C-alpha cells in the first residue's frame, strides 16, 4: 500500500514538472506571441498584445511592418522608445529608441531569436538604419515616417532565427572540466590522508624501535 502511494505521488510529480516544457513547446510555423509597450517622457503605456501578422513565426525568417501610434503628449522634440516581450516565456527586449533617435535614417528593429528543437532560448534586438534598397522599394515609408502630421508611423521589424545545437558543447566542456577538477581534488585529499597515515605509522615504528634496549629484550 505504501509503495503504491509513493508510486502515484512520483507519477504526479513527474507530470507536473513536465507541464512547462509541454505548454511552451513550438512547432515550425507557429505564431510566437509578442507584446509591446512605449514610453514618452514619463508617460508609459501598459503591455499590449501584438496581432499575429506582426509577431515572429517560429523558425521562419521574415520582415513585418508594425504601426506606432502617436504617444500621449507628443511634441516631436524628444525620443520615443519601445520595449517588447517575446514568446510564452515573456523574454524581454529592453527599451529601443525608435523616434527622434538622432539619426536622419528611417529606423528598423533587427530581432535575433535563438532556438533548438521546439524551444525558444533567447532573443536580442537593436535599432539599425533601414536598408536603402528597402526604402527605395517602399518610398512611402520614409515619407510617412518624417511627416509630423502622419500617424501611425510604421517601423520595419526583421526577425532572424538561429538554431542552436541541442548539445551545448561549451556547457559540456565546463561540466567535464569541473568534474575532473573535483575528482582531482578528492584524489589529492585521499593521497594526502594516505601519506599522513603511512608517515604516522613509520614514525611510531621508528620511535618504538629506538626505545628498545640495544641488546634486545633480556631473557631471565
Amino acid at each position: 500500500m505504501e509503495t503504491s502511494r509513493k508510486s502515484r505521488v512520483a507519477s504526479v510529480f513527474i507530470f507536473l514538472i513536465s507541464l512547462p516544457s509541454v505548454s511552451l513547446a513550438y512547432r515550425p510555423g507557429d505564431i510566437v506571441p509578442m507584446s509591446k509597450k512605449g514610453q514618452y517622457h514619463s508617460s508609459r503605456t501598459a503591455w499590449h498584445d501584438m496581432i499575429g501578422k506582426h509577431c515572429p513565426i517560429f523558425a521562419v525568417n521574415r520582415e513585418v511592418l508594425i504601426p506606432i501610434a502617436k504617444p500621449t503628449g507628443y511634441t516631436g522634440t524628444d525620443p520615443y522608445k519601445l520595449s517588447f516581450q517575446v514568446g510564452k516565456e515573456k523574454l524581454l527586449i529592453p527599451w529601443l529608441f525608435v523616434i527622434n533617435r538622432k539619426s536622419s535614417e528611417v529606423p528598423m528593429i533587427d530581432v535575433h531569436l535563438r532556438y533548438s528543437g521546439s524551444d525558444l532560448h533567447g532573443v536580442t534586438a537593436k535599432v539599425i538604419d533601414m536598408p536603402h534598397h528597402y526604402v527605395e522599394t517602399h518610398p512611402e515609408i520614409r515619407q510617412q515616417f518624417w511627416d509630423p502630421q502622419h500617424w501611425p508611423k510604421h517601423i520595419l521589424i526583421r526577425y532572424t532565427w538561429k538554431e542552436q545545437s541541442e548539445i551545448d558543447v561549451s556547457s559540456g566542456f565546463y561540466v567535464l572540466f569541473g568534474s575532473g577538477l573535483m575528482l582531482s581534488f578528492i584524489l589529492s585529499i585521499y593521497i594526502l590522508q594516505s601519506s599522513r597515515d603511512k608517515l604516522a605509522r613509520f614514525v611510531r615504528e621508528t620511535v618504538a624501535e629506538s626505545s628498545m634496549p640495544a641488546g634486545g629484550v633480556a631473557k631471565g
Side-chain angles (χ1 to χ4, degrees):
M1 184 69 179
E2 184 65 24
T3 302
S4 177
R5 187 184 297 113
K6 289 182 178 179
S7 178
R8 289 197 299 271
V9 172
S11 299
V12 171
F13 177 73
I14 293 173
F15 173 74
L16 289 176
I17 64 175
S18 66
L19 282 178
S21 61
V22 172
S23 62
L24 298 181
Y26 301 93
R27 292 176 298 176
D30 282 354
I31 293 175
V32 178
M34 191 166 174
S35 56
K36 65 180 173 70
K37 67 177 178 179
Q39 179 171 333
Y40 184 73
H41 288 163
S42 59
S43 177
R44 182 178 298 181
T45 68
W47 287 108
H48 295 287
D49 292 335
M50 297 166 58
I51 62 176
K53 69 178 183 179
H54 296 151
C55 295
I57 301 296
F58 190 76
V60 177
N61 296 337
R62 71 175 191 146
E63 298 170 347
V64 299
L65 278 173
I66 65 167
I68 305 297
K70 186 177 182 179
T72 302
Y74 184 75
T75 61
T77 57
D78 297 307
Y80 179 59
K81 56 187 179 181
L82 294 174
S83 179
F84 298 90
Q85 284 183 343
V86 183
K88 304 166 190 174
E89 303 84 352
K90 296 188 180 298
L91 301 176
L92 180 67
I93 295 176
W95 294 111
L96 301 171
F97 289 93
V98 292
I99 296 179
N100 292 334
R101 62 187 184 103
K102 298 181 179 179
S103 172
S104 60
E105 299 291 337
V106 177
M108 181 179 82
I109 301 175
D110 194 23
V111 179
H112 289 258
L113 305 107
R114 303 187 307 278
Y115 75 103
S116 67
S118 60
D119 299 320
L120 174 61
H121 291 300
V123 58
T124 58
K126 61 182 178 179
V127 177
I128 62 174
D129 295 337
M130 184 181 291
H132 287 172
H133 69 82
Y134 196 94
V135 176
E136 292 170 359
T137 306
H138 305 276
E140 70 281 2
I141 294 178
R142 172 187 281 170
Q143 295 168 3
Q144 295 173 2
F145 185 81
W146 293 116
D147 182 353
Q149 304 304 320
H150 187 278
W151 292 90
K153 309 291 185 186
H154 286 84
I155 294 181
L156 183 70
I157 298 184
R158 180 169 62 195
Y159 298 115
T160 304
W161 290 83
K162 182 178 181 181
E163 185 174 12
Q164 293 183 168
S165 171
E166 295 194 21
I167 300 175
D168 193 333
V169 177
S170 297
S171 298
F173 172 79
Y174 287 123
V175 169
L176 288 175
F177 178 77
S179 300
L181 194 61
M182 181 62 68
L183 181 59
S184 299
F185 179 70
I186 293 173
L187 286 175
S188 299
I189 293 176
Y190 174 77
I191 293 172
L192 180 60
Q193 185 63 41
S194 178
S195 299
R196 286 180 176 177
D197 292 342
K198 290 179 179 179
L199 179 60
R201 187 168 59 251
F202 173 76
V203 171
R204 286 196 302 270
E205 291 174 354
T206 302
V207 171
E209 290 177 359
S210 63
S211 62
M212 293 177 61
V217 180
K219 294 183 179 181

